[in-house]
Amino acid sequence: MFCFQCQETAKGTGCTVRGVCGKPDDVARMQDLLIYLLKGISFYSVEARKLGIVHEETDKFIMESLFSTITNVNFDKQVFVEKVKKALALREQMKAWVMQAGGNMTGNLPDAAVWTGETEGDFDQKAETVGVLATENEDIRSLRQLITYGLKGMAAYAKHAYVLGYQDDKIFAFMEKALAATLDDTLSADELIALTMETGKYGVDVMALLDQANTSTYGHPEITKVSIGVRNHPGILVSGHDLKDLEELLKQTAGTGVDVYTHSEMLPAHYYPAFKKYPHFAGNYGNAWWKQDKEFESFNGPILMTTNCLIPPKDSYKDRVYTTSVVGFPGLKHIGDAEEGKEKDFTAIIAHAKKCAPPVEIETGEIVGGFAHNTVLSVADKVIEAIKAGAIKKFVVMAGCDGRMKSREYYTEFAAKLPKDTIILTAGCAKYKYNKLDLGDIGGIPRVLDAGQCNDSYSLAVVALKLKEVFGLDDVNQLPISYNIAWYEQKACIVLLALLYLGVKNIHLGPTLPAFLSPNVAKVLVENFGISGISNVEDDLRKMI
Ligand code: FS2
Ligand code: SF4
């Protein structure tokens, strides 16, 4: 195996024996083959679209498959073997349709569009030859991977919108165009850089679509105090990003005596008006994803993983972890998709909860969030006044992901040492590095404004663009905003590409720069966008404030 898609990749270069995340090599290889075949399907999908053929099942398969290969989503080899089989079948179907419609499929077809196999042995053998390192030129490899990881993030956000009934064929068409382009050996590095920027454009579009899906379905996030303590009933802990799963679980647990708590990236669900009507929606338990090995243990009740980030469960709580949607791990109970027009069946996890003890208290108190674009813009006058009066000197966007590396303590220290006239804008699980510090407020505006999940970084961009307009500036970079973003997995890649597309410059990215950026590609990002890494808190505070 060779995987370097996340920030915690082994030695900062690549996992080659087993993922630091726990992904075994056979799963990594099967994921490589699946991605390869998605490119093969996409080769035909691009042709099919030109002929007016659009197949939603294929679009959905590509979206879900990309999502399933994101870090900490699915560790189950059998899931990928079945997906590889389905990919081969869909590819042949697409090819047949293209040919029937008169599409020209002669000439040199890419191997991903023609290779076939039947057994797991065939798949294993082929997988060895189609991974990341199959592209020899390191710059082309780097750009292909940057695009592919951006597409994975895009697919995750598209899926969350899709389950709420929001989809945009232009996003599917782009995903397929870009996947197919990564097979094209005639594309130059410059052409791939242009495609990377286009990926950012669709990143903005997909986050806007998800924002529309979430806010139309559940209302605009509101300023909300979320309890971080516990009650004395049994509970179910919901993690991941899928609000629809949470909604159905809240409905099905109503009146059962079982409370529902959020973990990690599900915390922002509390900010939506639609979920406030459930008295048993008890609060947020614990912190960011990587602390789950301790927090799932002390929670006592069952845990529902709706998306990443799942870490290989310990035996002490393994029987209490349920997966759903694209998440999987061998031996864990999986709650399957609902039939059309019905809800998922959470009976088993609710029955399980009833037999469990209430959660052990690990924290007490409250945290405040809900500062998505609607809320911030509704108090824009107050914010603008505070900027003009000099009470707010600077905003620092500290969005992104958290992770287990000790070096990430930098973010806690950075937040704590920021001058008192600065405000942190955050989204994603990065917030757990400082959302329990008492950083106070500026004239009633809290110094940490949490917009929501990582996809709600879109909200931060909306706010920045609005401020630019209000202040009559020509460039978003003239605003008093610095960017100190932490990344871990591939959703952060699409968020980063989206920000670059919107023209944001001088982003500091840490705790380390991606291993998949070759020196030349990193140079392009530095020269054109001023991207840099982080150094130490003191020096970075001087640079950014
Ligand atoms: Fe954090 Fe993990 Fe949101 Fe990422 S909980 S690193 O999924 O996408 O953020
Ligand atoms: Fe390694 Fe990250 Fe890939 Fe897991 S996702 S195998 S930790 S690079």
Side-chain angles (χ1 to χ4, degrees):
M1 73 175 278
F2 182 84
C3 181
F4 60 176
Q5 67 176 355
C6 82
Q7 190 273 327
E8 292 187 359
T9 194
K11 302 193 180 86
T13 53
C15 298
T16 53
V17 184
R18 182 187 178 84
V20 171
C21 61
K23 181 164 75 177
D25 66 340
D26 56 346
V27 174
R29 285 200 305 270
M30 213 46 73
Q31 290 186 353
D32 287 346
L33 181 60
L34 177 61
I35 295 286
Y36 188 64
L37 293 174
L38 297 182
K39 295 174 180 181
I41 303 175
S42 297
F43 175 79
Y44 295 112
S45 296
V46 170
E47 290 307 310
R49 275 199 159 75
K50 288 183 199 156
L51 299 163
I53 305 164
V54 178
H55 187 229
E56 190 173 332
E57 188 193 339
T58 301
D59 298 336
K60 188 168 172 251
F61 177 78
I62 290 173
M63 170 178 75
E64 290 178 348
S65 297
L66 283 168
F67 190 179
S68 66
T69 66
I70 286 182
T71 304
N72 293 339
V73 174
N74 201 310
F75 300 76
D76 192 337
K77 184 181 178 190
Q78 275 320 304
V79 166
F80 292 103
V81 169
E82 292 312 313
K83 278 187 182 289
V84 162
K85 288 181 185 162
K86 177 136 188 221
L88 287 166
L90 282 173
R91 191 193 66 187
E92 293 313 298
Q93 178 66 77
M94 267 293 164
K95 180 179 176 183
W97 282 331
V98 169
M99 292 181 62
Q100 278 160 21
N104 181 7
M105 282 290 121
T106 51
N108 250 352
L109 300 181
D111 178 67
V114 295
W115 174 82
T116 196
E118 278 171 19
T119 64
E120 227 177 285
D122 297 339
F123 301 162
D124 272 325
Q125 213 179 359
K126 183 67 180 175
E128 293 281 359
T129 66
V130 299
V132 170
L133 300 177
T135 302
E136 278 170 26
N137 178 306
E138 68 166 357
D139 299 327
I140 300 293
R141 182 197 302 151
S142 175
L143 290 164
R144 284 178 174 176
Q145 293 315 123
L146 178 55
I147 292 164
T148 306
Y149 302 152
L151 294 174
K152 290 185 182 196
M154 189 185 298
Y157 295 154
K159 162 83 176 164
H160 294 312
Y162 187 89
V163 296
L164 294 175
Y166 289 75
Q167 65 192 87
D168 178 352
D169 187 58
K170 290 194 284 308
I171 293 171
F172 288 139
F174 176 75
M175 283 198 234
E176 290 157 17
K177 176 184 107 162
L179 281 169
T182 63
L183 290 174
D184 187 349
D185 290 329
T186 68
L187 291 182
S188 65
D190 283 344
E191 285 167 312
L192 287 172
I193 289 167
L195 187 62
T196 309
M197 287 304 111
E198 203 182 348
T199 308
K201 178 213 176 293
Y202 284 94
V204 175
D205 291 353
V206 79
M207 284 191 272
L209 181 72
L210 180 53
D211 183 76
Q212 189 198 358
N214 286 340
T215 56
S216 311
T217 314
Y218 302 119
H220 281 280
E222 298 165 342
I223 301 174
T224 308
K225 285 185 181 155
V226 182
S227 161
I228 55 172
V230 297
R231 298 181 186 173
N232 56 0
H233 310 119
I236 297 175
L237 189 58
V238 188
S239 195
H241 306 65
D242 197 299
L243 298 180
K244 183 142 191 266
D245 285 334
L246 174 72
E247 180 191 18
E248 293 180 356
L249 183 70
L250 282 168
K251 278 191 203 164
Q252 293 177 35
T253 41
T256 62
V258 172
D259 288 331
V260 174
Y261 294 80
T262 53
H263 188 258
S264 193
E265 273 285 71
M266 198 54 90
L267 156 67
H270 292 276
Y271 313 153
Y272 287 91
F275 301 127
K276 293 186 175 166
K277 63 174 181 257
Y278 297 100
H280 62 297
F281 193 25
N284 188 72
Y285 189 82
N287 295 276
W289 64 274
W290 61 277
K291 291 193 174 165
Q292 67 190 251
D293 58 340
K294 295 203 172 55
E295 294 168 353
F296 286 6
E297 203 156 68
S298 60
F299 184 73
N300 284 335
I303 301 107
L304 177 67
M305 293 298 311
T306 67
T307 67
N308 49 327
C309 285
L310 172 68
I311 62 177
K314 293 206 292 206
D315 287 344
S316 55
Y317 61 80
K318 192 172 182 175
D319 67 320
R320 287 191 277 116
V321 184
Y322 290 69
T323 61
T324 190
S325 185
V326 292
V327 191
F329 193 93
L332 296 190
K333 294 178 270 289
H334 187 81
I335 295 170
D337 288 344
E339 282 171 39
E340 187 72 33
K342 295 207 174 138
E343 289 185 0
K344 282 186 184 175
D345 182 1
F346 290 113
T347 315
I349 192 170
I350 297 168
H352 191 154
K354 287 181 182 167
K355 290 185 269 178
C356 297
V360 173
E361 180 181 279
I362 50 173
E363 290 169 304
T364 56
E366 286 172 333
I367 42 179
V368 183
F371 299 92
H373 55 86
N374 206 53
T375 304
V376 178
L377 296 180
S378 71
V379 293
D381 291 354
K382 210 171 160 188
V383 174
I384 291 160
E385 210 178 290
I387 299 173
K388 286 186 176 157
I392 298 178
K393 284 266 165 47
K394 196 123 201 183
F395 293 92
V396 187
V397 173
M398 292 182 72
C401 317
D402 198 6
R404 50 198 141 199
M405 281 183 172
K406 214 169 153 38
S407 56
R408 286 184 190 255
E409 284 169 10
Y410 161 96
Y411 294 103
T412 308
E413 198 189 329
F414 186 90
K417 289 192 173 160
L418 275 169
K420 299 265 175 289
D421 53 8
T422 54
I423 286 199
I424 297 174
L425 302 174
T426 192
C429 63
K431 64 170 87 56
Y432 286 98
K433 277 284 183 276
Y434 44 79
N435 67 348
K436 291 166 188 171
L437 302 176
D438 188 10
L439 295 181
D441 62 273
I442 300 177
I445 304 168
R447 288 195 52 233
V448 178
L449 300 181
D450 177 22
Q453 297 179 336
C454 45
N455 44 290
D456 295 308
S457 301
Y458 169 75
S459 254
L460 306 179
V462 170
V463 169
L465 293 172
K466 187 70 195 171
L467 288 178
K468 176 190 123 183
E469 195 186 304
V470 171
F471 284 103
L473 304 172
D474 329 312
D475 183 345
V476 75
N477 297 298
Q478 293 167 333
L479 286 167
I481 306 182
S482 297
Y483 295 81
N484 193 2
I485 292 180
W487 82 285
Y488 169 57
E489 39 79 2
Q490 299 78 55
K491 292 181 199 174
C493 298
I494 195 63
V495 171
L496 177 71
L497 294 180
L499 291 176
L500 297 185
Y501 173 76
L502 290 172
V504 174
K505 295 221 160 78
N506 303 323
I507 295 173
H508 293 259
L509 187 63
T512 53
L513 289 179
F516 55 81
L517 294 181
S518 68
N520 286 328
V521 171
K523 197 162 159 247
V524 169
L525 294 178
V526 171
E527 284 172 1
N528 295 326
F529 299 101
I531 288 203
S532 60
I534 56 169
S535 55
N536 61 70
V537 171
E538 271 68 30
D539 289 349
D540 288 350
L541 279 169
R542 262 193 298 278
K543 276 184 230 156
M544 284 183 242
I545 304 302

